Amino acid sequence: MKLALVGDIGGTNARFALWRNETLESIRVLATADFASPEQAVSHYLAGLGLAPGSLGSVCLAVAGPVGGEHFRFTNNHWRLSRAAFCRTLQVERLLLVNDFTAMALGMTRLREHERVLVRPGVAESDSPVVVIGPGTGLGVGTLLPLGDGCWKALPGEGGHVDLPIGSLREAAIWQHLHGQLGHVSAENVLSGNGLLLLYRTLCALDGHSERLATPAEVSAAALAGDPVAVEVLELFCCWLGRVAGNNVLTLGARGGVYIVGGVVPRFAAFFQASGFVRSFASKGCMSGYFEGIPVWLVTAEYPGLEGAGVALQQANFRRMGGA
């Protein structure tokens, strides 16, 4: 039997693994900037394992953006993909593309207890939807729907591009400045790695500070070291993440809980847990009581998107073989 490969492709990194017996093997992380196309990256991955094109029977790639049709253009990197050309180049029998947060959401079904940190205590309702939201290169949002008997369906979406919600006069002033620069201000403009730097520059412009920090990593490091401007940036970031996550809970009736994923928040996990995230999450006026008992977790698992891509491939193969 030929091998199955799964991939989780973001703006900066492409993660690949073999999927065998419902388990990830030979995980590698490659920089998307180092390759002209996904075919080149996969070929490089296979060569590193001593495998030639034609070794793969099926591939599932989790990709950022709406999935459908023959051609796909990656949202946060320079790659493009033609399904037919990909299969022809790599001699693959079957290619499945899924939205990256569909895969991320499915990955939550395989989490082990030590791979998540409780941020807001509560008891998840097993028959209610679950929100999965994560700042990274962009902002991803996914939904898990319970189907019964321990089965779940992941709903793709582009919730990172919703309007940035305003909860205070300070936030309104920041929004106004951003609107002057960007026009439409989305949640992703702020809730992403680059969003940290954009917020920092905005506060410097509004308050007359000189800009000393030049990267998102410098902003978060300065905040953890006590720099007052950077501390406000990180606090605003956490509060806005809470507000956007709470909006999703109300929209979906997601009393099954919320998972915070992605590469940004774990870098300042202790700050995040002590921030205004929880307050902003449930501050919804007359509907604030709705949030009673809804838990929130910060996910620390290393490769949940790859795990979810494996689950997606497994489910697709099950359906193709006539499963219920």
Side-chain angles (χ1 to χ4, degrees), residues 58-185:
S58 56
V59 173
C60 177
L61 299 181
V63 295
V67 175
E70 166 63 20
H71 299 280
F72 181 82
R73 181 173 183 172
F74 290 77
T75 302
N76 291 319
N77 67 44
H78 61 286
W79 287 358
R80 298 189 182 191
L81 183 146
S82 158
R83 294 175 189 260
F86 183 94
C87 291
R88 183 171 59 251
T89 300
L90 295 171
Q91 300 174 41
V92 171
E93 297 171 6
R94 186 162 178 268
L95 170 64
L96 175 66
L97 295 182
V98 297
N99 176 267
D100 59 340
F101 259 71
T102 294
M104 186 65 77
L106 289 172
M108 299 304 98
T109 67
R110 291 175 59 88
L111 279 184
R112 293 168 283 275
E113 196 59 38
H114 70 276
E115 294 178 322
R116 64 183 189 179
V117 175
L118 186 64
V119 175
R120 185 177 194 263
V123 178
E125 295 184 2
S126 60
D127 59 347
S128 292
V130 175
V131 169
V132 184
I133 182 169
T137 304
L139 176 66
V141 182
T143 307
L144 272 177
L145 293 179
L147 301 179
D149 297 326
C151 297
W152 297 82
K153 179 177 178 61
L155 297 182
E158 293 299 323
H161 297 280
V162 299
D163 298 338
L164 184 69
I166 306 303
S168 69
L169 292 177
R170 178 65 161 169
E171 290 181 3
I174 294 168
W175 178 91
Q176 188 172 24
H177 183 88
L178 292 173
H179 184 266
Q181 290 182 293
L182 305 173
H184 177 254
V185 184

Side-chain angles (χ1 to χ4, degrees), residues 225-285:
D227 178 90
V229 179
V231 166
E232 185 181 4
V233 168
L234 221 55
E235 179 66 20
L236 284 164
F237 182 96
C238 294
C239 289
W240 253 313
L241 181 56
R243 195 164 291 121
V244 173
N247 285 351
N248 277 276
V249 167
L250 286 179
T251 300
L252 297 163
R255 298 191 57 82
V258 175
Y259 289 94
I260 308 296
V261 299
V264 174
V265 178
R267 297 173 188 166
F268 47 85
F271 184 104
F272 176 71
Q273 288 183 280
S275 74
F277 169 86
V278 169
R279 171 179 46 80
S280 298
F281 173 71
S283 181
K284 300 298 181 186

